[in-house]
Amino acid sequence: EAVVSTQSTGGFRDVEMPDGTVKRFVWTPKYDPRYPAFNKGPKCTQYFIDFQKCIWKKGEGYKPCDWFRHHYEHVCPQPWIEKWNDQLDRGVFPSKQLLKWQNKYPKAPAVEED
C-alpha cells in the first residue's frame, strides 16, 4: 500500500511506493458541492479557516488537519495565504467564525511526531 507523505508543494504530492521509491503526482482537491461556482474565494477562505480550527482543537502536527491544508494551499493564491498567516501572527485575522471557535474550545498542545 502506498504511503502519502506530508510533502505537498504547488499541487504536487510525493508518494512513497511499496518498493520504497518516491513518485510525484499532480494533486487536486475533489469536487465540493458546497462550492459549485467558479469563484474559488469562499472555498479558499473556508478551507483556511477549517485548517486553523482543526489545529486549534487537535494541535499542530495532527495529521488529519493536513487535508484542509492541502486544499487551501491548492485553491488559494499564495499572497492571500501569506497575508492571512501574518494576520494570525499579529492576532488580527478577521474571522468571527474562527474567533467563536477559539473562545469555545481551549487551544490543544502540539502533537508529537513519531
Side-chain angles (χ1 to χ4, degrees):
E1 180 173 308
V3 176
V4 178
S5 77
T6 57
Q7 301 290 334
S8 175
T9 54
F12 293 99
R13 299 278 301 268
D14 294 331
V15 177
E16 184 176 335
M17 304 308 284
D19 64 359
T21 61
V22 176
K23 290 189 178 182
R24 179 166 278 193
F25 294 92
V26 175
W27 182 87
T28 58
K30 301 292 182 222
Y31 174 75
D32 189 338
R34 296 177 298 168
Y35 305 103
F38 183 73
N39 179 2
K40 298 208 186 313
K43 182 178 189 177
C44 158
T45 306
Q46 191 60 53
Y47 284 139
F48 185 83
I49 291 170
D50 288 345
F51 174 71
Q52 298 305 321
K53 287 166 51 176
C54 184
I55 62 172
W56 180 268
K57 187 164 184 197
K58 297 295 186 176
E60 298 229 15
Y62 184 66
K63 298 264 186 232
C65 294
D66 285 344
W67 186 89
F68 296 111
R69 183 178 54 82
H70 292 309
H71 279 65
Y72 84 72
E73 284 178 346
H74 183 77
V75 175
C76 301
Q78 191 61 35
W80 290 15
I81 297 170
E82 291 168 5
K83 177 182 175 184
W84 293 337
N85 283 326
D86 179 55
Q87 289 173 334
L88 283 169
D89 292 343
R90 292 185 291 127
V92 296
F93 184 71
S95 169
K96 290 180 183 176
Q97 184 186 112
L98 185 58
L99 216 66
K100 284 180 187 176
W101 184 266
Q102 290 172 339
N103 289 330
K104 184 175 180 179
Y105 298 102
K107 185 170 185 174
V111 175
E112 299 285 328
E113 289 190 30
D114 295 330

